[in-house]
Amino acid sequence: MLLPILLLSAAGFTVLTTEFVIVGLLPAIARDLEVTIPQAGLLVTLFAFTVAMFGPFLTAYFARFERRKLFITILIMFGLANTVAALAPNIWVMAIARLIPALGLPVFWALASETAVDIVGPDFAGRAIAKIGFGIVCATVFGIPVGTLISDAFGWRSAFAILAVIAFAKALLLFVYLPKTSLHQHQVSFASQFKILRSPLMLGHVLLSILVFSGMFTAYTYLADILERLAGFNGTVVGWCLMGFGAVGLIGNSLGGRAVDRHPLMASVMFCAFMIPGMVALVPNINSSLGLAAAMGIWGVTQAALFLVSHVRLMKAAPEAPAFAASLNIAGANLGIGLGAIIGGRVIDSAGLGFVGFAAAAFILLSIFLAMVLMVLKPRDVCATA
């Protein structure tokens, strides 16, 4: 049963690359569409807020559909949206191109995760989702930096055009090789899934995802701009730097998958604690090759780990509705991504590009505090309110 997981991982690469590739393309998009960097950053916010607003509802509704047809439809939708992005004449058309795939991402990621857990069982959820998450890490390792390199060589529109072709190709692969799946045997009703929101502990887990991703993307949204303006790197060097940032994420993905199976909240605390020095040390070491590499390495490992840890943490917190719990994490994470992009833009406008790392670290500190509070809450508190 490894082949279905690998196919979904490959599809996940395309889905997540579509969301995050814009991080490396922001400077070029801003110049071409004649907007500021913070204004271009709102494209990140639009995508993220759309996922946050509609993700849980769409996931709960589409959970009843046959997975093979659903996944293929989502990939075709991504291919069409990337085609529109490649042809966008202004920021408004670009916004529409970002809105469309934002509706499909949470459905794909939540249900693909549930499918992986169904295959291996809940005791190995972290490892199974790590295999699906490998597509996410590859999106960071290869998708975002290669998109940046393609943009530097051929223009940012070429990056979206290639993504469109890949999305259509992945849809064809799923059509040929992914077997039809039966409906989930223990599918929870639409209304029952929302009952888990009555749990204070569950709401705390969602808030933790919001804080973690707000911290990460307050700085990460503008990482390419930091490397261009403060380090003085050209687009090619920025692309290779982002490649290195993502490559060390392979380590974080593996570490996160093992740590979250042992203790989800402790894993969150540990990786958050290590992320802070990486974020804070980036700009002070911007002119030191060794210092910059170390800061980006620490940040890259912990960021990839927290992607996985946050996702599995929510699924383990609600084993009776894991797909819906996963969608709540995706919604919370994308709300955090959108907030982070806005806050980072405000910090740039008011204090300067060099301070985004410190603003990001403040959110991560809050995340550590909240995770420690959640540790003292008992699972029976959840059942009592359900």
Side-chain angles (χ1 to χ4, degrees), residues 126-140:
R127 291 169 177 80
I129 298 174
K131 289 182 174 64
I132 299 292
F134 185 74
I136 297 177
V137 178
C138 285
T140 306

Side-chain angles (χ1 to χ4, degrees), residues 219-378:
Y220 184 63
T221 301
Y222 304 99
L223 179 56
D225 197 35
I226 290 173
L227 295 174
E228 277 197 15
R229 286 205 279 159
L230 299 186
F233 297 157
N234 60 33
T236 300
V237 176
V238 169
W240 286 112
C241 286
L242 294 177
M243 183 83 76
F245 184 94
V248 296
L250 293 171
I251 301 172
N253 188 62
S254 177
L255 294 175
R258 294 180 180 276
V260 74
D261 278 335
R262 291 194 292 268
H263 198 305
L265 285 169
M266 185 60 72
S268 297
V269 170
M270 178 181 68
F271 288 115
C272 282
F274 279 100
M275 176 178 280
I276 291 174
M279 286 180 161
V280 171
L282 182 71
V283 172
N285 287 278
I286 203 72
N287 294 315
S288 167
S289 298
L290 183 60
L292 181 62
M296 290 188 66
I298 294 170
W299 184 3
V301 168
T302 53
Q303 179 152 309
L306 283 168
F307 264 99
L308 177 64
V309 167
S310 297
H311 199 70
V312 179
R313 173 173 50 78
L314 264 291
M315 295 183 74
K316 284 180 175 288
E320 69 277 18
F324 184 66
S327 74
L328 290 176
N329 174 67
I330 295 166
N334 277 273
L335 180 57
I337 290 170
L339 289 172
I342 292 175
I343 292 167
R346 291 292 180 89
V347 171
I348 292 171
D349 287 338
S350 60
L353 192 57
F355 288 90
V356 293
F358 295 95
F363 279 103
I364 301 302
L365 277 173
L366 288 175
S367 301
I368 293 174
F369 176 76
L370 177 57
M372 295 176 70
V373 170
L374 292 176
M375 285 182 195
V376 305
L377 296 179
K378 295 179 172 56

Side-chain angles (χ1 to χ4, degrees), residues 110-124:
L111 296 182
S113 301
E114 184 189 55
T115 302
V117 174
D118 284 345
I119 292 172
V120 303
D123 290 340
F124 299 96

Side-chain angles (χ1 to χ4, degrees), residues 19 22 34 56 82 116 123 164 173 179 203 211 213 236 244 246 268 353 360:
E19 178 173 12
I22 197 168
E34 299 180 346
N82 284 320
D123 290 340
L173 286 174
L203 293 176
L211 289 175
F213 281 82
T236 300
S268 297
L353 192 57

